[in-house]
Amino acid sequence: MAPKFGTSGLRGLVVELTEDLVHDYVSAFLASCPHGGSVHVGRDLRPSSPQIAGWVIDAVRAAGLEAVDCGALPTPALALSSLEAGAAAVMVTGSHIPADRNGLKFYVPTGEISKADETRINAALGQPRASGGQGDLAVANAQDAYRARYVSAFGRCLDGLTVGVYQHSSVARDLMMEVFEALGATTVAIARSDTFIPVDTEALDPETKELFAGWFDAHGLDVLVSTDGDADRPMVVDDAQRVVPGDVLGALTAQALGAKVVCTPVSSNSMISDAGFGFDRVERTKIGSPFVIAAMEDALASDPAARVAGYEANGGFLLGFTADAPAGALKPLMTRDCLLPIVAPLAAARAEGVTLSALWDALPAVFTAADRIQGIETDVSKAFIAELRGSAEARAAFFDGYGTEASVDETDGLRTTFTDGSVVHLRPSGNAPEFRCYAEAATRDEAEELVTKTLGKLRDRLA
């Protein structure tokens, strides 16, 4: 599959992300989007990232602009650095996908690129580039400000907590240790890897989950935390040794920070609409941070003082207002962040004198599950979705045994609600050969059973 844009930027096989292609996309980005005269460049820890980052830097300098090499760092740390400098940014990462793939995430000086920016970049591909001379090269440590953001806002809110950090090949693995120790926790580094491991925080494999119980017992953990490869998605395992879904972390974080307007995709847990959260409005969007950001920007355009926040079902959190944290103000950061949806729920639980599991169990009894089938090309999965969309009979045949269809939502993929309140949401990945399934039900086991059942039927039909 040739490299192309999806909900998380440009992605493709490493062998197809050639020097010429990288130069073309970076040049098209600089020609069609604002950049502030400087571009911050970061990368994750996959083996191909240093070389691709070098090509990005060469393309920036060839355009006559300053390139700021920020090295290996979390995507939200790079975004914070470029936002504060009024500069553009390019992150070299394939996020959670395997190491034979990689990609580019683009940021304008105000944050993540929009779908309109993406269209302009695609239109500018393949055009002759006028050289602006050789731009300067600078080196920056962009992690310090990101670390200080949380330490200054949350203080020693986690005193007495023992936090295991599942390090694998997360680019935030050392920074997480530093932040949690500064917040008062005792940290334990676990399973650091020199080989890139594609951890998908939305679809952890059973073998990985089986390791968690042993780690809790061996190290006396109160909580286990981690991120995906580029650290814009959180992973949290609570004191009951359950993986806390990203949309639960998002809801708890928005509530803890006092958000009043919440923007989140249709795939997120519907409990967010419960009056107990205290939100004035919930906006449901297509899946992907560009759509969440667009909804947040619309809310801020209507009311610049709106206390608006956004999150994705994977837990990546976007803050659109200055929030009051336990130890100080927390400024907006409208890009997917991994640390905030880990720290804020833990701080809220400590402040209430309860465990994280108790905080979760007090929420409305609506549970989600998600997983995916890899190796199904996007055109195949899209054709299948089109078939289901176009025929009630086809849906009834595929969902035989699920109950009676109550409604269908085509905002993004196909989200089918049944009369018992359960939900199955099918969606092809936008930039990888994956077919995702999300489910919602009244119990955790029922949600997981729906995902397992549906993926089995999809394998029989498409794999």
Side-chain angles (χ1 to χ4, degrees):
M1 182 175 69
K4 64 177 183 177
F5 271 109
T7 57
S8 296
L10 177 74
R11 286 192 188 160
L13 290 167
V14 169
V15 294
E16 295 176 334
L17 288 168
T18 63
E19 183 174 4
D20 286 344
L21 184 140
V22 170
H23 272 254
D24 193 19
Y25 268 94
V26 174
S27 297
F29 166 59
L30 298 176
S32 57
C33 297
H35 48 65
S38 179
V39 181
H40 291 216
V41 181
R43 64 180 188 272
D44 66 14
L45 297 180
R46 63 187 65 223
S48 60
S49 292
Q51 181 179 58
I52 295 173
W55 294 339
V56 172
I57 288 170
D58 290 344
V60 171
R61 298 184 70 197
L65 304 177
E66 178 190 47
V68 181
D69 185 358
C70 297
L73 79 170
T75 294
L78 179 71
L80 178 65
S81 175
S82 65
L83 283 166
E84 291 184 340
V90 179
M91 180 70 180
V92 179
T93 181
S95 187
H96 64 281
I97 60 179
D100 65 343
R101 300 172 185 272
N102 212 325
L104 304 176
K105 292 181 180 179
F106 297 99
Y107 289 79
V108 294
T110 54
E112 293 186 31
I113 62 169
S114 65
K115 285 297 179 182
D117 293 327
E118 178 185 315
T119 299
R120 285 190 288 270
I121 292 169
N122 281 327
L125 291 172
Q127 300 300 314
R129 310 298 169 195
S131 175
Q134 187 76 346
D136 292 336
L137 174 62
V139 177
N141 179 356
Q143 299 206 58
D144 286 351
Y146 183 63
R147 181 189 304 106
R149 170 181 173 83
Y150 293 101
V151 175
S152 63
F154 284 90
R156 295 186 65 84
C157 63
L158 302 183
D159 271 333
L161 205 66
T162 300
V163 178
V165 178
Y166 173 31
Q167 293 196 313
H168 59 91
S169 44
S170 165
V171 75
R173 58 192 182 184
D174 294 324
L175 185 143
M176 280 191 290
M177 299 283 290
E178 296 167 2
V179 169
F180 282 99
E181 288 171 2
L183 298 180
T186 299
T187 60
V188 181
I190 299 173
R192 187 183 185 94
S193 175
D194 293 327
T195 302
F196 188 83
I197 299 174
V199 172
D200 185 345
T201 57
E202 276 191 288
L204 292 163
D205 59 81
E207 293 78 12
T208 299
K209 290 182 179 180
E210 288 176 3
L211 295 172
F212 295 163
W215 293 346
F216 271 82
D217 293 341
H219 302 292
L221 304 181
D222 294 310
V223 66
L224 177 71
V225 304
S226 191
T227 75
D228 63 339
D230 71 317
D232 65 353
R233 302 182 185 187
M235 187 205 82
V236 176
V237 184
D238 71 8
D239 49 284
Q241 301 179 18
R242 304 173 301 184
V243 178
V244 186
D247 47 9
V248 171
L249 294 173
L252 289 172
T253 301
Q255 184 180 47
L257 296 176
K260 291 301 179 183
V261 180
V262 174
C263 305
T264 192
V266 293
S267 55
S268 293
N269 193 311
S270 64
M271 70 175 177
I272 193 69
S273 299
D274 188 279
F277 282 101
F279 304 132
D280 295 337
R281 190 166 84 251
V282 175
E283 298 286 348
R284 306 306 290 262
T285 74
K286 286 186 175 183
I287 296 171
S289 58
F291 301 108
V292 175
I293 291 171
M296 294 174 69
E297 289 175 339
D298 286 346
L300 289 168
S302 299
D303 178 8
R307 299 176 66 85
V308 59
Y311 64 86
E312 295 191 90
N314 58 39
F317 197 89
L318 305 96
L319 183 63
F321 67 100
T322 298
D324 295 322
L330 188 66
K331 292 182 179 179
L333 181 59
M334 282 178 51
T335 191
R336 287 169 294 187
D337 186 16
C338 67
L339 273 186
L340 185 54
I342 298 176
V343 173
L346 288 173
R350 299 294 281 181
E352 293 183 25
V354 300
T355 61
L356 181 60
S357 64
L359 202 65
W360 180 11
D361 290 341
L363 298 178
V366 181
F367 297 88
T368 58
D371 205 343
R372 87 282 198 209
I373 302 175
Q374 296 176 295
I376 298 180
E377 295 299 333
T378 302
D379 57 348
V380 174
S381 51
K382 283 186 174 179
F384 179 66
I385 290 294
E387 177 187 347
L388 295 186
R389 280 179 168 181
S391 169
E393 291 77 13
R395 294 195 299 275
F398 181 77
F399 290 121
D400 182 40
Y402 288 67
T404 303
E405 179 183 294
S407 63
V408 173
D409 186 331
E410 298 183 5
T411 300
D412 198 340
L414 183 78
R415 184 176 177 86
T416 303
T417 301
F418 301 94
T419 51
D420 65 354
S422 64
V423 176
V424 174
H425 183 176
L426 302 176
R427 178 181 177 270
S429 172
N431 49 24
E434 299 176 349
F435 202 157
R436 289 189 175 270
C437 175
Y438 308 85
E440 185 172 289
T443 71
R444 186 176 298 105
D445 287 344
E446 289 173 349
E448 291 176 351
E449 288 170 6
L450 278 174
V451 169
T452 300
K453 177 180 179 180
T454 305
L455 290 181
K457 299 189 76 166
L458 286 172
R459 286 189 186 94
D460 292 342
R461 178 71 179 268
L462 303 176

